[in-house]
Amino acid sequence: MEHIRTTKVEQVKLLDRFSTSNKSLTGTLYLTATHLLFIDSHQKETWILHHHIALVEKLALTTSGCPLVIQCKNFRTVHFIVPRERDCHDIYNSLLQLSKQAKYEDLYAFSYNPKQNDSERLRGWQLVDLAEEYKRMGVPNSNWQLSDANRDYKAAICRCSQPLSGFSARCLEDEHLLQAISKANPANRYMYVMDTRPRLNAMANRAAGKGYENEDNYSNIRFQFVGIENIHVMRSSLQKLLEVNGTKGLSVSDFYSGLENAGWLRHIKAVMDAAIFLAKAIMVENASVLVHCSDGWDRTSQVCSLGSLLLDPYYRTIRGFMVLIEKDWISFGHKYSERCGHLDGDPKEVSPVFTQFLECVWHLTEQFPQAFEFNEAFLLQIHEHIHSCQFGNFIGNCQKEREELKLKEKTYSLWPFLLDDQEKYFNPLYSSTSQKLAVLEPNTVSFNFKFWRNMYHQFDRTLHPRQSVFNIIMNMNEQNKQLQKDVKDLESQIKQHKNKQTDGVLTKELLNSVRPESPALKTSLCLKEQTLLPVNDALRTIEGSNPADNRYSEYADEFSKAEPAVVSSEYGVARMTC
Amino acid sequence: MEFSELIRTGQAQAELLRGPEMPPLRGTLCVTGHHLLLSPGPQATPDLWLLLLRSVDSIEKRVAGDAGTITLRCKDLRVLQLDIEGVEATLDIARSIEALSSLESVITSFPFFYRPKGLRLGEAWHFHPPERYYKRIARETRAWRLSEANEDFSLCPSYPRAVIVPRAVDDDALARSARFRQGGRFPVLSYYHAPRGTVLLRSSQPLTGPQKLRCAEDEELLRAVLAEARPGARGFIVDTRSAQAAKQARMTGGGTEAKAAYPGWKRLHRPLERGRPLQESFVRLMEACGDPEQSMDRWLSRLDGCRWLSHVKEALSTACLAAQGMEWEGACILVHGAEGTDSTLLVTSLAQLILDPLSRTMAGFQELIEREWIQHEAPIFLLFLDCVWQLGRQFPLSLEFGEGMLLALFDHSYASPFGTFLCNSEKERCLCEVRTRTHSLWSGLNQPKEQRKLRNPLYVPNPLAIWPSVEPQSLRLWQGLFLRWTHPPEPSEVAWEKVWQIATDQKTEGSQPTDSASEPQP
């Protein structure tokens, strides 16, 4: 608390990010040990977790006050105007301190207390168990002792870092290991080695004594570059993307030329193409594949996890996806704390590698709407928490560091909390039995890649569709289930009545109450009831840590009333209609 | 004229290629008066493939050795390739298709011959749409009347016989106003917004010319509109041209309303692209959509370069502006560009969809198209459909019709066995007796078997205005249309089936217990 000088500022304005006429809401700003909270005059609360803050800026003083701009890692951008510069300065300084912690122990997860006892917490951590997962995949078996294989195929996905080959170095043991991998696959003696880097980068690495496998030194390998750019390129690409979509009054033309210049979708496509290459090698050629990049924890994680997702329907379930993240990301040393900038560290280590993975998954859910048990909200919630530092899962940079931090004793795991809420994350269209969707073969023509509005504008309500299909289908599904249950209950009552030899009139009455109308009429009844309910959790309900935030609550007319002389051409804001 | 004069050949053996995801068809090809037929023989499915010749946009032929290839580009964006045995046969078939697909005459077109089972002639024609619409308005207000001043199409050949005008203005004044407007399109009511008592009007540009002519009756008409709305009501003239273009139009006899002559009315210029630039935009988009091999950068650059989505944004923004004027400012709105037959209709019809819940129903939408659109075969109608699709995407529960309906309208607007989209004006339609000698598209579409394709299973009547977001991030390329033939079908169709199932037919769900209530108990 030593960083907090001012805890409450009144008469603060929150500007609408996209309004060209500087529309704003007035309210009170509160600073707590973990959150920045803004409550506007309609009592609507905006919670911002300190750990989510990527950048705080204090702009030049204006006549209405001192502007404070906060950019968050979950792509929220807020623009406050604080009446007194003194207050603004205090808050700015506090946020600078609070958003960049020097020690792991100061992260929110170490103080977060959801009122669970030790055994509950431990059970939470055991919920996703990798040993179980390897058992599920059928390893160790006679061919495999340790590593990673795919359940249905003899072929396997393996991963490592780049070899330290330089220009001529060799390592016999490494060559033998690879030979052992290819021998472990009885179906195909050849194996692929995928280097996920662009060829030029890999060659440059040779000068530093690293590099890539020489096909001549390894027997039976086929070498392949797939050309995913490095973390620095990805970081600046995302930066460009955010600059474009943060522009006020953006034209269609600027948007598309900005998308092109940012290169973001090109990178997403490259990751996807690499995963498809991997899946095809295993599916079609039955060949094992060894995947690596430079260090083996960024691009390699992306490609291996996406490849697994394409091949194995289990990973497309809610629980399976958690396992996949634990397996291919957390346990294989994706450096979450560095990539997400959890601590005040080297900004050059920050990179949206995991965000890209989530975006690739989203693209898959768009192309295969029935193949995933979870919906978009699930992906957004996970993204929220890789940055929130509220749970221990993503803290630290590798397994070793995590054990040293005693995360399982001192923090909670995210997964049980998501599982408790899982009805929010169900995809109502999911079809677990569809054989056609056993292995996904996505089409990566350029047309298929779209800007993920619900991620990069998740807090910019005005840009979203005004009604949610998922909600209504979810509701209808629930209604249908409820009706089926009612039918069953009533039927069993009828049977009971019959057993008691009750007279037929009563049975008839009951039957009538069971099926009052035609299915069509029934549906229309459900529809009417359902749409009257406020659609509150169209995307997510947990905001940072606080479910009290009602971003999706009643959203009345903020439509700016135009001046008598000019009709405003601004249509960013509209009213909710359901 | 006999069709047989234009048909050069009886038949030929050919193979038809219909794009990457469809298997080729081999069989006997022949040309009839209205169709290209391919019969693959009795065992094959389908056992007959038909193409309406009117839907052929352009044709290319190539011969090599003793075979030839004909490539047909269709108006519904399909590209078909026919590999034909025999050079002579190829050339003959190509010539026949060229001659028959470019026939201008309306009354020899297929709708005049199309007599499907189960449909009766004269059914489902929305006779006299203005009269039907007037009945609705008359329940709300006495300020408007139905005028039959255009009974013989002498005032305006492109208006229907009856139009809705301010009660205070007589037919003589209408005639004078018509003379002052291009093509006789004087200001008439397009939509009455009952919740605010305001109106949406449309017309063509006034013929002010270089001398800045005025017309007292035209001014009186617009004055009466404001006076009858409410005392002190204001009006906005939404001119779909730039201020400069409107000014330049004076040189060719057109122009725009002078401020001083129309007190209470304020002009707003919202330039919308139409005609040739819009056509080019569409062609460039189609070219971009035809190339699945292109890199991401190239695709984004072409999507930007064709400017189609900019046109979508401009059209929706302008419609929102008109709608906002009525709903929020309580103002009356007059929309016109030059002729008042393309971008004007785009704006007035979209504004109605935004404001009027009835126009979002299946029947209301059909009536809206009948009332507003006279000229369908143009990219402007496609732009309208695209804008409606964007509305449907942002308000997925508020339109009673689905994407299938918009696709059907697109297809039928270019080439159709139905007569609804024939001719360019009411006058022509009457001359050709379209309503008595052809079937209405609506009778075709409203058949029960078509409903699953056309309706939105999630529809819930929504009494409010639907204000779309027009930010570029909120608009999307209409893949269902533009990539319909180049992009393999997605599993999303299966998903849509599932949505239908959940919404309408829970009994077919696999999880349903066998002893359901619909089965009689033993």
Side-chain angles (χ1 to χ4, degrees):
Chain A
M1 293 298 275
E2 73 268 28
H3 300 305
I4 300 178
R5 281 226 198 104
T6 306
T7 54
K8 179 179 175 186
V9 187
E10 286 177 341
Q11 291 298 311
V12 173
K13 278 191 189 137
L14 174 61
L15 293 189
D16 183 317
R17 185 179 174 197
F18 291 103
S19 163
T20 41
S21 57
N22 281 343
K23 216 162 31 188
S24 68
L25 289 166
T26 304
T28 308
L29 197 61
Y30 299 88
L31 191 59
T32 76
T34 53
H35 288 84
L36 183 69
L37 167 63
F38 179 78
I39 304 181
D40 68 25
S41 48
H42 304 107
Q43 299 306 308
K44 185 176 163 282
E45 299 172 3
T46 304
W47 290 82
I48 296 171
L49 187 64
H50 297 328
H51 293 316
H52 270 146
I53 296 175
L55 188 71
V56 203
E57 277 179 295
K58 213 173 78 157
L59 306 183
L61 195 66
T62 66
T63 47
S64 52
C66 189
L68 185 70
V69 179
I70 301 172
Q71 285 178 30
C72 299
K73 293 169 183 172
N74 55 9
F75 307 114
R76 183 200 275 281
T77 298
V78 285
H79 192 147
F80 292 115
I81 306 243
V82 184
R84 287 170 48 212
E85 194 186 8
R86 179 82 233 146
D87 293 331
C88 186
H89 190 74
D90 282 349
I91 291 189
Y92 170 75
N93 277 335
S94 303
L95 290 180
L96 274 189
Q97 300 292 330
L98 293 163
S99 63
K100 289 269 183 250
Q101 301 294 352
K103 300 198 305 286
Y104 281 121
E105 285 76 10
D106 292 332
L107 294 177
Y108 186 29
F110 290 89
S111 59
Y112 175 65
N113 182 2
K115 305 203 166 48
Q116 285 189 349
N117 61 35
D118 285 357
S119 68
E120 282 174 305
R121 191 192 58 227
L122 198 65
R123 266 209 305 282
W125 278 110
Q126 286 161 346
L127 210 63
V128 174
D129 183 351
L130 283 189
E132 278 292 313
E133 167 60 8
Y134 287 117
K135 212 185 279 171
R136 185 191 71 87
M137 291 193 295
V139 286
N141 58 27
S142 54
N143 288 325
W144 280 96
Q145 294 183 346
L146 175 80
S147 180
D148 178 356
N150 194 284
R151 182 174 50 169
D152 300 324
Y153 312 100
K154 290 279 188 285
I157 304 172
C158 310
R159 47 187 294 172
C160 66
S161 65
Q162 66 182 338
L164 302 175
S165 56
F167 289 103
S168 59
R170 294 179 59 172
C171 171
L172 280 178
E173 290 76 8
D174 196 64
E175 289 163 24
H176 287 148
L177 176 61
L178 259 67
Q179 205 168 8
I181 293 175
S182 63
K183 277 198 179 141
N185 177 5
N188 193 332
R189 283 292 161 214
Y190 271 99
M191 72 176 288
Y192 280 99
V193 175
M194 269 176 85
D195 191 323
T196 56
R197 299 167 294 182
R199 179 185 296 270
L200 199 67
N201 299 24
M203 306 234 300
N205 262 303
R206 283 168 73 175
K210 305 167 190 170
Y212 52 94
E213 292 81 356
N214 183 339
E215 264 180 304
D216 300 339
N217 296 341
Y218 294 82
S219 46
N220 303 333
I221 73 162
R222 285 181 189 152
F223 194 83
Q224 178 77 33
F225 285 109
V226 292
I228 303 174
E229 298 287 352
N230 66 27
I231 58 166
H232 312 293
V233 174
M234 300 308 191
R235 179 178 58 243
S236 83
S237 171
L238 179 62
Q239 195 51 45
K240 283 184 203 154
L241 182 78
L242 296 180
E243 273 165 32
V244 173
N245 69 32
T247 313
K248 268 186 198 181
L250 183 67
S251 75
V252 174
S253 178
D254 288 345
F255 176 62
Y256 281 102
S257 60
L259 265 189
E260 184 195 342
N261 289 337
W264 183 255
L265 291 176
R266 190 179 69 225
H267 300 315
I268 297 290
K269 175 170 153 61
V271 175
M272 199 85 109
D273 279 330
I276 292 168
F277 179 88
L278 170 69
K280 275 202 180 133
I282 292 194
M283 254 305 282
V284 181
E285 299 186 43
N286 247 315
S288 289
V289 185
L290 174 67
V291 184
H292 71 71
C293 44
S294 301
D295 297 309
W297 50 56
D298 292 313
R299 289 170 273 201
T300 303
S301 295
Q302 287 178 331
V303 174
C304 289
S305 54
L306 275 174
S308 308
L309 207 58
L310 294 178
L311 291 167
D312 189 342
Y314 172 69
Y315 295 125
R316 297 176 223 135
T317 62
I318 287 182
R319 195 178 277 261
F321 194 66
M322 297 173 176
V323 170
L324 182 70
I325 291 175
E326 283 285 341
K327 174 173 77 77
D328 271 331
W329 292 87
I330 297 174
S331 82
F332 272 104
H334 176 66
K335 306 204 284 182
Y336 277 104
S337 278
E338 286 194 356
R339 297 292 177 261
C340 301
H342 288 160
L343 298 177
D344 193 11
D346 182 358
K348 284 208 172 63
E349 286 294 326
V350 175
S351 187
V353 176
F354 189 74
T355 307
Q356 285 184 320
F357 163 68
L358 292 179
E359 181 160 338
C360 289
V361 178
W362 174 75
H363 272 109
L364 290 174
T365 63
E366 286 279 290
Q367 239 187 86
F368 302 97
Q370 296 192 276
F372 289 81
E373 190 190 20
F374 50 83
N375 58 23
E376 188 180 37
F378 185 61
L379 299 175
L380 293 178
Q381 191 65 277
I382 291 173
H383 184 260
E384 180 89 5
H385 285 296
I386 61 166
H387 294 108
S388 73
C389 301
Q390 184 181 350
F391 298 95
N393 307 60
F394 307 106
I395 290 174
N397 290 309
C398 62
Q399 206 64 7
K400 180 164 169 274
E401 201 173 22
R402 273 187 266 275
E403 273 163 31
E404 283 165 6
L405 285 168
K406 297 197 168 53
L407 289 172
K408 291 193 180 177
E409 290 160 45
K410 294 182 175 165
T411 70
Y412 293 85
S413 166
L414 168 66
W415 309 129
F417 291 86
L418 293 185
L419 284 174
D420 280 349
D421 269 350
Q422 59 180 313
E423 71 280 6
K424 273 185 205 149
Y425 306 124
F426 271 127
N427 168 13
L429 301 180
Y430 178 54
S431 156
S432 57
T433 49
S434 172
Q435 270 306 306
K436 251 174 94 184
L437 297 173
V439 174
L440 300 185
E441 294 176 61
N443 186 334
T444 58
V445 289
S446 305
F447 314 135
N448 271 349
F449 292 87
K450 295 161 216 155
F451 173 70
W452 191 6
R453 184 193 51 224
N454 288 356
M455 170 64 97
Y456 303 104
H457 288 296
Q458 54 182 306
F459 299 97
D460 304 314
R461 282 282 300 145
T462 55
L463 302 186
H464 288 283
R466 312 304 199 211
Q467 296 174 320
S468 157
V469 172
F470 264 99
N471 270 311
I472 192 103
I473 297 177
M474 234 26 212
N475 288 338
M476 289 195 297
N477 243 351
E478 272 162 33
Q479 283 273 340
N480 284 356
K481 274 184 201 145
Q482 187 57 46
L483 285 169
Q484 284 170 16
K485 193 175 160 290
D486 290 352
V487 166
K488 265 192 159 173
D489 289 352
L490 287 167
E491 275 169 5
S492 66
Q493 280 183 37
I494 291 170
K495 275 181 192 153
Q496 279 175 10
H497 277 286
K498 276 194 175 163
N499 290 345
K500 287 182 196 161
Q501 302 288 321
T502 341
D503 68 333
V505 185
L506 187 57
T507 315
K508 212 171 181 184
E509 270 171 16
L510 267 168
L511 256 177
N512 284 340
S513 69
V514 171
R515 51 179 171 129
E517 300 96 8
S518 68
L521 195 51
K522 239 187 253 177
T523 314
S524 71
L525 279 175
C526 317
L527 275 166
K528 272 180 200 132
E529 278 164 31
Q530 285 310 308
T531 44
L532 293 176
L533 297 173
V535 185
N536 270 341
D537 29 31
L539 290 168
R540 302 171 321 142
T541 41
I542 301 177
E543 156 79 358
S545 64
N546 203 310
D549 185 314
N550 283 326
R551 269 176 303 98
Y552 293 101
S553 64
E554 224 42 55
Y555 184 77
D557 28 12
E558 290 174 32
F559 203 101
S560 74
K561 186 121 179 158
E563 301 299 317
V566 273
V567 175
S568 155
S569 63
E570 196 180 304
Y571 292 100
V573 184
R575 24 178 175 171
M576 277 300 291
T577 49
C578 67
Chain B
M1 179 204 58
E2 287 295 317
F3 291 122
S4 55
E5 293 164 18
L6 300 171
I7 302 172
R8 301 289 189 109
T9 183
Q11 53 189 49
Q13 289 304 306
E15 185 172 60
L16 169 72
L17 303 168
R18 295 172 291 172
E21 74 277 11
M22 307 268 273
L25 277 182
R26 277 200 67 83
T28 310
L29 185 74
C30 70
V31 183
T32 72
H34 297 107
H35 288 96
L36 188 63
L37 272 86
L38 188 93
S39 163
Q43 287 88 20
T45 43
D47 58 357
L48 185 68
W49 176 87
L50 268 177
L51 178 75
L52 203 56
L53 288 171
R54 287 262 167 161
S55 66
V56 173
D57 194 31
S58 72
I59 166 166
E60 280 166 40
K61 51 181 184 283
R62 233 178 28 241
V63 286
D66 56 357
T69 298
I70 294 179
T71 306
L72 300 174
R73 288 177 195 282
C74 300
K75 292 168 180 167
D76 63 2
L77 314 178
R78 258 184 305 175
V79 179
L80 303 167
Q81 188 184 318
L82 287 161
D83 295 326
I84 300 168
E85 288 172 18
V87 172
E88 269 312 299
T90 306
L91 295 177
D92 282 346
I93 285 176
R95 276 187 219 117
S96 310
I97 296 174
E98 266 166 13
L100 289 163
S101 65
S102 57
L103 281 182
E104 293 287 324
S105 153
V106 171
I107 50 163
T108 59
S109 67
F110 185 56
F112 286 84
F113 298 85
Y114 181 54
R115 296 291 176 265
K117 273 190 214 135
L119 294 186
R120 283 212 323 270
L121 272 181
E123 221 171 34
W125 278 107
H126 295 295
F127 285 110
H128 319 300
E131 285 87 334
R132 282 166 60 112
Y133 189 55
Y134 179 69
K135 279 191 192 137
R136 248 176 86 186
I137 297 171
R139 284 199 290 267
E140 308 280 350
T141 174
R142 297 275 304 144
W144 295 83
R145 69 183 181 94
L146 193 69
S147 163
E148 293 182 356
N150 199 39
E151 177 63 36
D152 53 358
F153 303 109
S154 61
L155 264 55
C156 173
S158 63
Y159 273 173
R161 292 176 193 273
V163 289
I164 304 168
V165 295
R167 184 168 297 280
V169 178
D170 62 26
D171 284 356
D172 287 344
L174 295 180
R176 294 226 171 74
S177 170
R179 256 173 270 148
F180 183 61
R181 296 273 172 178
Q182 183 173 356
R185 293 175 71 86
F186 54 96
V188 294
L189 182 135
S190 164
Y191 167 62
Y192 179 75
H193 188 47
R196 300 297 310 267
T198 57
V199 291
L200 181 65
L201 308 163
R202 53 179 164 76
S203 71
S204 61
Q205 65 178 341
L207 300 172
T208 56
Q211 305 90 9
K212 300 191 184 175
L213 299 175
R214 291 175 57 170
C215 169
E217 290 78 5
D218 192 74
E219 291 164 19
E220 175 51 34
L221 199 162
L222 289 189
R223 195 163 37 241
V225 168
L226 293 189
E228 297 191 22
R230 116 180 85 83
R234 289 175 308 131
F236 291 99
I237 297 169
V238 177
D239 193 323
T240 60
R241 302 164 294 177
S242 69
Q244 205 198 351
K247 211 170 171 183
Q248 267 173 3
R250 286 218 296 266
M251 304 315 293
T252 51
T256 188
E257 292 82 354
K259 210 173 173 181
Y262 298 88
W265 288 89
K266 187 180 157 51
R267 235 172 38 230
L268 299 166
H269 291 278
R270 286 290 179 281
L272 295 182
E273 212 64 88
R274 61 197 192 104
R276 206 176 165 74
L278 192 65
Q279 178 69 33
E280 273 164 19
S281 168
F282 170 60
V283 169
R284 283 166 70 187
L285 175 60
M286 285 321 301
E287 282 168 4
C289 289
D291 179 5
E293 302 301 321
Q294 66 201 321
S295 73
M296 185 67 74
D297 288 3
R298 177 98 181 102
W299 162 242
L300 291 173
S301 143
R302 288 169 89 173
L303 201 52
D304 169 24
C306 76
R307 301 193 33 81
W308 181 263
L309 282 167
S310 303
H311 301 320
V312 169
K313 179 184 158 86
E314 293 311 321
L316 276 173
S317 310
T318 309
C320 286
L321 177 80
Q324 188 198 30
M326 285 185 278
E327 169 83 359
W328 295 83
E329 305 294 319
C332 297
I333 307 280
L334 166 65
V335 185
H336 72 69
E339 298 91 347
T341 53
D342 37 36
S343 31
T344 303
L345 308 179
L346 180 64
V347 174
T348 55
S349 48
L350 285 174
Q352 290 179 59
L353 277 166
I354 291 167
L355 291 175
D356 181 12
L358 272 177
S359 71
R360 295 178 224 136
T361 63
M362 196 63 149
F365 187 58
Q366 293 176 2
E367 204 188 303
L368 176 79
I369 288 176
E370 282 273 337
R371 263 191 302 121
E372 295 293 298
W373 288 92
I374 46 166
Q375 199 179 339
H376 300 92
E377 193 186 322
I380 197 94
F381 187 63
L382 170 60
L383 185 58
F384 166 70
L385 295 176
D386 195 338
C387 292
V388 178
W389 180 82
Q390 307 279 351
L391 281 175
R393 239 183 61 78
Q394 294 194 28
F395 296 90
L397 318 179
S398 297
L399 304 183
E400 193 179 16
F401 45 92
E403 183 178 31
M405 175 73 175
L406 302 176
L407 290 174
L409 288 175
F410 172 75
D411 290 343
H412 286 285
S413 71
Y414 280 104
S416 171
F418 297 99
T420 295
F421 291 156
L422 290 176
C423 304
N424 284 326
S425 70
E426 185 61 26
K427 188 179 177 181
E428 282 178 36
R429 269 190 281 270
C430 287
L431 279 174
C432 298
E433 301 172 82
V434 167
R435 291 204 167 108
T436 48
R437 294 181 51 197
T438 73
H439 285 285
S440 153
L441 173 62
W442 314 127
S443 71
L445 294 186
N446 291 340
Q447 296 176 89
K449 60 174 180 179
E450 301 287 332
Q451 296 310 299
R452 208 166 169 100
K453 209 169 69 196
L454 306 176
R455 279 181 190 267
N456 173 9
L458 303 174
Y459 173 67
V460 186
N462 173 359
L464 300 172
I466 54 172
W467 301 104
S469 160
V470 296
E471 297 295 333
Q473 295 97 318
S474 309
L475 302 176
R476 260 204 190 174
L477 180 73
W478 184 8
Q479 297 207 351
L481 178 75
F482 295 109
L483 296 171
R484 184 153 56 139
W485 308 111
T486 46
H487 204 40
E490 297 294 338
S492 56
E493 281 173 26
V494 190
W496 192 238
E497 251 322 291
K498 173 110 178 179
V499 173
W500 260 106
Q501 209 179 77
I502 294 172
T504 60
D505 203 353
Q506 53 171 327
K507 272 193 288 182
T508 54
E509 286 257 85
S511 58
Q512 181 74 6
T514 46
D515 55 342
S516 86
S518 51
E519 281 173 55
Q521 295 289 316

